[in-house]
């Protein structure tokens, strides 16, 4: 057994070596690469800033749809707006993956290099970057896992994805604030780098002159190509022109994907039962109930509208059904009424959806009975499903049985 003094002595020597020998692992020199420089870090950082901000804003729009604010009703037009914003949300998230990995690789030494910052400000900055890095990784990972419908966790995806977005974007804003001068200087300066060594002890210590490996330009081009390729092989899930390239997209929109089947939702019997009714109730002078036959007797309309799932896939279809606003008028609902639309499904967060007064009055908001001229299949919502302009797929409730005027 070594004596306590011997152990303390060894530890002291180890710490001393680590703080003085620049070539040991976890010391900054150990990570020297001509690619680890400020200019590359700045370019990658700027790209990531644009991608993350785009993802954040489109994500907020999606959140607003799913958690409506009474004073900020989402519009009904353009009808394909959510399809566009959610397509951009998923595409920018996926495109950011290679950029995030590259950026982490370039700046990694700053993160682990020992000793940590000498000043309090450095330590605070590192904490902020820790939030940004773990937040960014979590956002991209949880988003991609959700697209794959893989939930290796117990918490609610939407809540975690939403709140982590705020933490991440907060850390991003702080980081951009701290780095703006360096980034501006670096991106505007011609790429000759005598001042780098002074500017940054870790990233600035790169060798000058030609070298064997990738150039910075080559590295950036590789990252951009990886990011572009990932986008190309997934964006076909929502952009019809790219459909044949959509090798990595888990859903083919041409197949009219179904996330929850009638069987899984436990509605097979209720949907087929002769006792089925559509009820229009709530704050109306005349509550109504329709059998299937009575529904068929009402005037119908066609609407070309997309289903745009939050997972990023979408398809356009022609829907035929009864206008929600016609039903509301029959029941005598007040002009500016918003409604809840309820499904036969018993236990699901998607059992009830909110339709604001703007969308409820839109001529294309239907309780549909037909999809592309065919009666709805049980999986697509027979006997009746909600379909309306500028709504996330998750709010296009299937197996509708009740409209409650609020
Ligand atoms: N009652 C009910 N309606 C629902 C769902 C559900 O799980 N239950 N899933 C929603 C989701 S997430 C999407 S993307 C669309 C998909 O419509 P589709 O299955 O007809 O393609 O239905 C929506 N309507
Ligand atoms: Mo969905």
């Amino acid at each position: 057994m070594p004596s306590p003094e011997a152990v303390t002595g060894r530890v002291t020597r180890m710490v001393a070596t680590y703080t003085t020998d620049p070539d040991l692992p976890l010391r900054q020199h150990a990570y020297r690469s001509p690619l680890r420089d400020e200019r590359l870090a700045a370019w990658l950082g700027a790209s990531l800033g644009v991608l993350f901000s785009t993802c954040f804003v489109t994500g907020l729009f999606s959140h607003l749809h799913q958690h409506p604010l009474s004073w900020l009703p989402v519009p009904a037009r353009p009808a394909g707006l959510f399809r566009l914003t959610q397509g951009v949300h998923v595409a920018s998230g996926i495109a950011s993956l290679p950029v995030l990995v590259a950026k982490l690789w370039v700046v990694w030494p700053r993160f682990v290099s020992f000793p940590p910052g000498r000043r309090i400000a450095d330590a605070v900055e590192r904490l902020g970057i820790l939030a940004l890095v773990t937040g960014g990784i979590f956002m991209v990972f949880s988003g991609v896992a959700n697209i794959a419908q893989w939930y290796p966790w117990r918490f609610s995806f939407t809540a975690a994805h939403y709140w982590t977005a705020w933490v991440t974007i907060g850390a991003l804003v702080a980081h951009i604030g701290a780095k703006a001068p360096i980034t501006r200087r670096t991106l505007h300066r011609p790429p000759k780098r005598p001042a780098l060594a002074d500017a940054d002890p870790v990233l600035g210590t790169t060798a000058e002159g030609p070298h064997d490996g990738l150039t910075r330009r080559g590295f950036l081009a590789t990252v951009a190509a990886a990011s572009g390729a990932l986008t190309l092989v997934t964006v076909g899930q929502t952009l019809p022109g790219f459909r044949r390239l959509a090798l990595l997209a888990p859903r083919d929109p041409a197949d009219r994907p179904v996330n929850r089947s009638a069987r899984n939702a436990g509605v097979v019997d209720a949907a087929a039962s002769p006792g089925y009714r559509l009820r229009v109730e709530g704050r109306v002078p005349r509550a109504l109930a329709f059998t299937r036959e009575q529904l068929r007797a009402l005037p119908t309309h066609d609407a070309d509208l997309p289903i745009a799932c939050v997972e990023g896939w979408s398809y356009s279809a022609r829907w035929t059904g009864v206008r929600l606003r016609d039903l509301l008028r029959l029941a005598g609902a007040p002009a500016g009424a918003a409604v809840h639309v309820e499904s036969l499904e018993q236990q699901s967060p998607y059992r009830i959806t909110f339709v604001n007064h703007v969308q409820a009055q839109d001529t294309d908001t239907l309780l549909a009975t037909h999809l592309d001229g065919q009666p709805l299949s049980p999986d697509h919502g027979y006997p009746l499903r909600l379909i309306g302009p500028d709504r996330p797929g998750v709010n296009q409730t299937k197996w509708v049985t009740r409209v409650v005027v609020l």
Side-chain angles (χ1 to χ4, degrees):
M1 275 291 274
S3 68
E5 290 76 21
V7 173
T8 338
R10 199 182 297 165
V11 169
T12 320
R13 274 198 305 284
M14 262 170 61
V15 171
T17 320
Y18 256 97
T19 42
T20 51
D21 184 342
D23 289 323
L24 279 172
L26 287 189
R27 293 305 316 272
Q28 33 189 301
H29 286 215
Y31 301 96
R32 261 206 272 196
S33 155
L35 291 176
R36 292 213 161 94
D37 84 348
E38 260 186 0
R39 199 169 159 79
L40 202 43
W43 271 111
L44 292 169
S47 318
L48 217 43
V50 171
L51 288 170
F52 272 22
S53 309
T54 308
C55 214
F56 180 70
V57 172
T58 48
L60 272 191
F61 188 62
S62 179
H63 184 84
L64 193 58
H65 269 284
Q66 294 173 65
H67 301 84
L69 297 173
S70 56
W71 50 271
L72 194 60
V74 288
R77 301 283 154 172
L81 182 59
F82 179 81
R83 183 189 206 179
L84 175 72
T85 59
Q86 193 64 11
V88 169
H89 179 73
V90 171
S92 55
I94 288 177
S96 69
L97 194 108
V99 190
L100 181 62
V101 172
K103 166 89 180 177
L104 287 179
W105 182 82
V106 169
V107 300
W108 185 242
R110 292 209 59 156
F111 223 11
V112 296
S113 70
F114 191 86
R118 279 178 190 80
R119 290 171 300 133
I120 300 276
D122 288 344
V124 171
E125 199 197 335
R126 275 196 194 204
L127 272 182
I129 293 177
L130 186 68
L132 179 55
V133 170
T134 47
I137 292 174
F138 177 81
M139 291 310 291
V140 175
F141 173 75
S142 59
V144 170
N146 183 57
I147 294 171
Q149 301 188 345
W150 176 50
Y151 302 104
W153 52 66
R154 284 164 166 267
F155 46 78
S156 145
F157 163 76
T158 37
H161 198 69
Y162 175 71
W163 288 109
T164 312
W166 281 105
V167 175
T168 312
I169 213 74
L172 181 67
V173 168
H175 187 59
I176 290 175
K179 295 295 184 198
I182 287 198
T183 310
R184 208 175 309 120
R185 174 155 51 77
T186 318
L187 293 185
H188 287 163
R189 192 180 48 199
K192 62 175 177 53
R193 297 171 285 160
L196 276 182
D198 313 331
D200 190 306
V202 178
L203 299 178
T205 48
T206 56
E208 290 292 331
H211 53 83
D212 303 335
L214 269 177
T215 60
R216 277 181 308 180
R217 199 171 292 231
F219 184 80
L220 268 185
T222 310
V223 175
S227 173
L230 267 186
T231 311
L232 272 184
V233 297
T234 46
V235 79
Q237 65 185 334
T238 189
L239 271 188
F242 290 81
R243 212 149 262 181
R244 291 189 333 148
L245 283 176
L247 307 168
L248 278 193
R251 301 309 190 82
D252 182 353
D255 297 342
R256 308 277 190 254
V258 169
N259 267 347
R260 195 157 181 81
S261 65
R263 178 191 290 265
N264 285 342
V267 298
V268 174
D269 293 340
S273 154
Y276 169 85
R277 296 287 182 277
L278 170 70
R279 298 181 191 281
V280 184
E281 317 175 321
R283 300 205 322 171
V284 288
R286 294 180 294 280
L288 304 171
F290 299 88
T291 64
R292 264 181 271 260
E293 292 66 40
Q294 288 167 331
L295 279 174
R296 268 199 287 277
L298 294 172
T300 60
H301 291 272
D302 289 340
D304 291 313
L305 290 173
I307 288 240
C309 181
V310 293
E311 293 158 17
W313 56 264
S314 70
Y315 63 80
S316 258
R318 165 151 299 190
W319 306 88
T320 310
V322 184
R323 281 180 175 150
L324 179 59
R325 72 174 196 184
D326 291 351
L327 289 171
L328 296 181
R329 197 170 305 134
L330 283 175
V339 303
H340 270 158
V341 172
E342 296 182 13
S343 172
L344 290 169
E345 196 181 0
Q346 290 302 312
Q347 241 131 36
S348 159
Y350 313 137
R351 208 180 81 72
I352 298 185
T353 192
F354 173 76
V355 183
N356 70 33
H357 65 281
V358 184
Q359 296 193 334
Q361 287 305 320
D362 194 281
T363 49
D364 278 358
T365 301
L366 308 178
L367 290 178
T369 51
H370 288 68
L371 161 65
D372 285 334
Q374 301 294 319
L376 283 175
S377 67
D379 286 347
H380 283 301
Y382 174 84
L384 210 55
R385 82 160 314 151
L386 176 66
I387 185 85
D390 187 30
R391 292 175 67 75
V394 55
N395 292 354
Q396 311 278 33
T397 304
K398 303 193 278 191
W399 315 296
V400 169
T401 187
R402 212 157 85 102
V403 172
V404 181
V405 177
L406 301 173

